[in-house]
Amino acid sequence: MSITPTRNDALAAQLDHAINNKTKPLGSLGVLEALAKQIGLIQNTRDIKLTRPAILVFAADHGVVAEGISAYPQDVTWQMVENFLARGAAINVLAAQNNCALRVIDAGVNHDFGPRDGLTDRKLAHGTRNFAQEPAMSRDLCQTALAAGMALASELEGNVVGFGEMGIGNTTAAAALMHKLTGIPVAQCVGAGTGMSAEGILHKQRVIEAAVAKHAGATEPLDILATFGGLEIAMMAGAMLKAAELRKVLLIDGFIVTSALLVAARMHPTILDYCVFAHCSDENGHKQMLAALDAKPLLNLGLRLGEGTGCALALPLLHAAVNFLNQMATFESAQVSEKSE
């Protein structure tokens, strides 16, 4: 795999000139200006456009739920997948509102759906093992999940891809990955997830701390992912890597999605050139995870739902960045006087 850095000094200068000559004070469109420039560098052109944006929602179950680390039973994973297929979830509403395609992927749900319209079956197992007792998956299974994600990204026709997830127990996996890959104390990585009490959060913290001690030998990114991750997280990381290799814009959602990116970025740091961070989640630890990636999120709405909802909400800002660069008049074309020296 080869992810090309987006740095291009000549193109960057062209984009800066185009942005600065619009009929506005310098820098007055703020983050939208940086976003337009980033999209131009990703697409390697001054003539930027967004085509067929899609959000991929990866679903899987986690064996660590046996440790009582979730406020909801594991069955909620497959029940929410059914809700996605019935178009009744928040991500369905928000994706449709923004004319964004939605693809639901069964990466490893502990339920047999059978052939279903709207469901992409890439099930590799009926969930992971309990990482409090043993590695969540083998190294080979983890690599298979990464490869499956890469194949999914290769199938996408558009140039913008958002990432979402569903999996009871996956905030515990994400917190363990965050701790192992950043060194941030477990207590600062663990949050309420689906709504745990203070006592439940402390229990989750202790489960992760004991698991980290048990699997102290997992130090490389792939081994960390195999030991503590989920099938949806691994498949998502693979899709991210391939999408970046294909020079697509990667729209990153919340805590769990960012944990998948954290793994991918440790494997191929250049992937970060392609990432637009949709929002800062209200899940404890996400702000520090973003800081570890030197990421600047577009939104801060107190979200902690997952599903890719932050991606759908941020998508209009990408359109705004593209449209102002393409459609806004320049001082010369509008015959507007520029700032006096």
Side-chain angles (χ1 to χ4, degrees), residues 58-74:
F58 295 84
D61 277 306
H62 295 256
V64 74
V65 297
E67 301 297 320
I69 48 74
S70 175
Y72 285 83
Q74 189 176 77

Side-chain angles (χ1 to χ4, degrees), residues 35-56:
L35 189 53
K37 182 176 180 179
Q38 183 186 6
I39 294 170
L41 292 172
I42 289 171
Q43 297 182 354
N44 199 30
T45 182
R46 156 67 182 81
D47 300 316
I48 61 178
K49 60 183 178 181
L50 304 183
T51 59
R52 299 191 180 188
I55 294 173
L56 306 181

Side-chain angles (χ1 to χ4, degrees), residues 225-241:
L225 178 59
T227 302
F228 301 101
L231 287 161
E232 83 280 34
I233 294 173
M235 203 171 289
M236 186 161 32
M240 290 174 177
L241 288 165

Side-chain angles (χ1 to χ4, degrees), residues 77-154:
T77 302
W78 72 260
Q79 291 165 356
M80 279 302 300
V81 170
E82 290 285 2
N83 195 23
F84 297 151
L85 299 180
R87 302 180 183 179
I91 188 55
N92 299 97
V93 175
L94 298 176
Q97 171 184 301
N98 291 295
N99 296 314
C100 181
L102 183 64
R103 189 167 179 182
V104 181
I105 299 106
D106 177 3
V109 180
N110 189 22
H111 181 80
D112 292 316
F113 295 98
R116 299 289 300 279
D117 288 343
L119 181 65
T120 300
D121 183 3
R122 296 293 185 273
K123 191 192 301 287
L124 298 177
H126 286 77
T128 51
R129 299 190 293 262
N130 181 357
F131 70 66
Q133 307 297 328
E134 57 184 322
M137 54 189 132
S138 68
R139 186 183 175 96
D140 285 348
L141 180 57
C142 188
Q143 289 177 317
T144 300
L146 286 165
M150 292 177 189
L152 284 166
S154 298

Side-chain angles (χ1 to χ4, degrees), residues 44 48 53 57 61 65 153 165 186 227 237 241 243 246 264 271 275 291 318:
N44 199 30
I48 61 178
V57 180
D61 277 306
V65 297
E165 44 62 42
V186 173
T227 302
L241 288 165
L246 295 172
I271 193 175
C275 295
L318 273 70

